[in-house]
Amino acid sequence: MPKIRTKILLLSMLLLGMPGLAWAEVEAQDSNGDGKPDRWLHRQGGEVVKVEIDKDHDGRVDQVQHFKDGQIILLERDTNQDGKLDTWDHFQGGKRVRQERASHPGGPVDSVILFDAQDRVLEVRRSSQSDGVFDHITQYREGQPQLSTRDLNRDGQPDVWITYRDGKPVQRKSASRNDGRVDQIVDYDSQGRPSQSRHDLDQDGVLETTRDYRDGLVAKETRRSADGKLTLMVTIHHDGKPRERQEDTNADGQFDRFTLYDAQGQPTEMRQDTKHRGQIDRVISYEQGKPVRDRMDVDGDGRFEQVTVYRNGRPWRQEVDQKGIGKPSLVVIFDEKGEKAEVQSASQEDGVIDTWQFYQDGQLVRLEKRSPGAAKVDQKVFFRAGQRLRSEQDQDQDGHFETRQYYDRPGWSSVVEVVERDGKVVRRSFYRDGRLAVQESDDERKGRITLREHFDAKGNLVKSEEERDDKGRLNFVFYFAPDGRALRAEEDRKGRGVDVWYFYENGLVRRVEEDSDGDGRPDIWEEYDETEALVRRSRDLDHDGKPDLTDFERTAQAGR
């Protein structure tokens, strides 16, 4: 092997701080005869203290050996050829005792392996995130793994423990809830395959579920009650997939739900005793693991009167025979999201559909109803955000919904309108707390209000306003007693305010006052007898507010 000797003067500082000179000799060697050095021996006092090696002959050192007293104490290596040392083997007495490795250039050590006197692995420590925190530790004996722990949540405490025998796992324990309690135990057979596992699936601290394995695949799964006295579920598996399941859903000691699966482990049929009466009252059929038909015996009479049909795994149509007459009296149609879109129902015993409810985004938006004996829909109710908005009625079955009731008018619990075919409102009634408070009418079809009536909390008419001059003004006002008889009235004849006052007794006019000059004070007074015959007429001629001329007449009748 060609050799090149070079002497280099190295300046070193002694431990006591006194300057000294030490000579180091470097010998370059060409191990493959290509004329390029690939091995450098560093000597001090004739003894090799360091050897640098370029093993792949790329011109860069990828292995450094350190010696002391003729024995190797440290081996540094570049295992991925990136030009940076990433593995360090430490030796004592010429034997390796520890290996450190850094997966990322310049990063912290993320793997540590300890060795015994026979150079067998004693312990392995790894950092899963290469941050220097060792969260996966495996201990060995005579080169075989004995115990492995993992800290999955990196809180400093292990939450997975795996024990080994003859190099194969015997048992695995894990705690997934960060409370240190074991919620899964897996036992392995001699081949290292799972033979049985126990699980705390409901996180109550009890390993209630047991899975038995055959050839490493689940063969049977059993779930028991927390006290271990009741078997709540048994699932039989073939080739690791469920084929049959029995469940006790109410923990009464009796299985009440039975499910069959196909070879792919997808359900084909589920039968259930939902009422726990000892008889099947619900059957769900599946295709490719998705429900296609759901039949229910709601009242327990042995008939499946409710049938739900599915499309793409979502309910599409549900029919219910509520009357027991062999045909559906309730039909529910679902949208593509599986939410109610329409509900059809029969209110009469004949089971004929007469009510329709329409939904959007799960909320009722419209209701339509056909009254008994009617040939078509004669009632409609509209909703917004779950609240009634308005209702419409076709009371005479002519196809025109002439009565409309609104529930969103400010200040009123509802407002009812009677509308002609041309859209004109002929009557509008205002309700407060369900009681009629005001009613407006256009009985003469003039296109405007010609009568407005006011009612008290007991429903008695207390005031009415009428149009009597055909000028679009409610110029005549009546005031009524609780028994409905008129008490007094006011009239605006000239459009400048009240200028005639009527006073009644027992519903008959007994006195009339008139402001003929528009000064706001009466200047004509009339009195009537019990037959409403004029018996006295007085006038204020000098406008002093007092009568100064009185006439007596008995032939004219007062207008009302």
Side-chain angles (χ1 to χ4, degrees), residues 277-289:
R277 296 175 294 196
Q279 65 181 36
I280 298 299
D281 53 26
R282 185 178 189 184
V283 179
I284 302 178
S285 302
Y286 299 82
E287 290 182 2
Q288 297 181 348

Side-chain angles (χ1 to χ4, degrees), residues 8 121 128 133 199 225 228 238 265 287 319 530 540 555:
I8 304 174
V121 175
S128 62
V133 177
H199 308 261
S225 58
H238 289 173
E287 290 182 2
E319 297 181 351
E530 62 274 5
D540 176 13
T555 57

Side-chain angles (χ1 to χ4, degrees), residues 284-480:
I284 302 178
S285 302
Y286 299 82
E287 290 182 2
Q288 297 181 348
K290 295 181 179 180
V292 294
R293 193 179 187 201
D294 183 352
R295 296 181 295 146
M296 288 194 67
D297 174 12
V298 179
D299 53 12
D301 64 353
R303 295 186 311 107
F304 291 88
E305 64 271 5
Q306 177 176 305
V307 179
T308 304
V309 180
Y310 291 75
R311 284 184 178 178
N312 298 320
R314 294 188 177 94
W316 169 67
R317 182 182 179 91
Q318 183 180 89
E319 297 181 351
V320 185
D321 178 9
Q322 298 174 310
K323 312 294 183 182
I325 58 178
K327 64 178 182 179
S329 56
L330 175 66
V331 177
V332 182
I333 300 175
F334 301 87
D335 61 19
E336 59 183 11
K337 297 179 181 178
E339 297 180 345
K340 284 189 300 185
E342 180 180 345
V343 177
Q344 306 172 5
S345 58
S347 61
Q348 305 300 311
E349 291 301 318
D350 59 6
V352 177
I353 300 297
D354 55 19
T355 304
W356 295 262
Q357 299 176 24
F358 300 91
Y359 294 79
Q360 287 182 359
D361 298 326
Q363 289 195 332
L364 181 64
V365 295
R366 188 171 83 255
L367 181 146
E368 297 181 357
K369 187 174 179 63
R370 178 168 45 80
S371 300
K376 52 188 174 182
V377 170
D378 55 5
Q379 300 176 49
K380 296 180 181 179
V381 183
F382 299 86
F383 298 81
R384 179 186 297 160
Q387 302 295 322
R388 281 189 307 176
L389 187 64
R390 76 175 190 277
S391 62
E392 300 179 357
Q393 281 188 300
D394 176 13
Q395 296 180 329
D396 54 9
Q397 295 289 312
D398 65 350
H400 170 60
F401 289 80
E402 68 278 353
T403 303
R404 301 173 183 174
Q405 188 167 1
Y406 299 86
Y407 303 92
D408 61 344
R409 299 297 169 84
W412 307 103
S413 58
S414 66
V415 176
V416 179
E417 294 181 349
V418 178
V419 186
E420 298 281 80
R421 285 184 175 274
D422 59 4
K424 292 181 179 180
V425 177
V426 296
R427 184 172 294 110
R428 184 179 287 115
S429 304
F430 299 84
Y431 291 81
R432 183 176 288 117
D433 298 327
R435 295 188 296 266
L436 180 63
V438 178
Q439 183 167 278
E440 299 174 344
S441 305
D442 177 19
D443 293 331
E444 299 178 10
R445 307 305 193 264
K446 295 181 178 181
R448 61 179 181 268
I449 298 172
T450 58
L451 173 64
R452 180 182 291 123
E453 299 171 296
H454 301 262
F455 302 83
D456 63 14
K458 295 182 179 181
N460 299 315
L461 179 64
V462 295
K463 177 182 176 182
S464 71
E465 304 170 73
E466 303 176 13
E467 177 187 332
R468 289 203 173 183
D469 58 2
D470 201 27
K471 294 181 179 180
R473 300 181 301 120
L474 300 179
N475 65 314
F476 203 102
V477 180
F478 274 107
Y479 296 90
F480 298 90

Side-chain angles (χ1 to χ4, degrees), residues 168-187:
K168 296 177 181 177
V170 175
Q171 189 178 79
R172 183 183 190 273
K173 297 181 179 180
S174 58
S176 62
R177 295 191 298 272
N178 304 328
D179 58 3
R181 294 192 301 179
V182 172
D183 53 22
Q184 178 177 292
I185 300 176
V186 182
D187 296 320

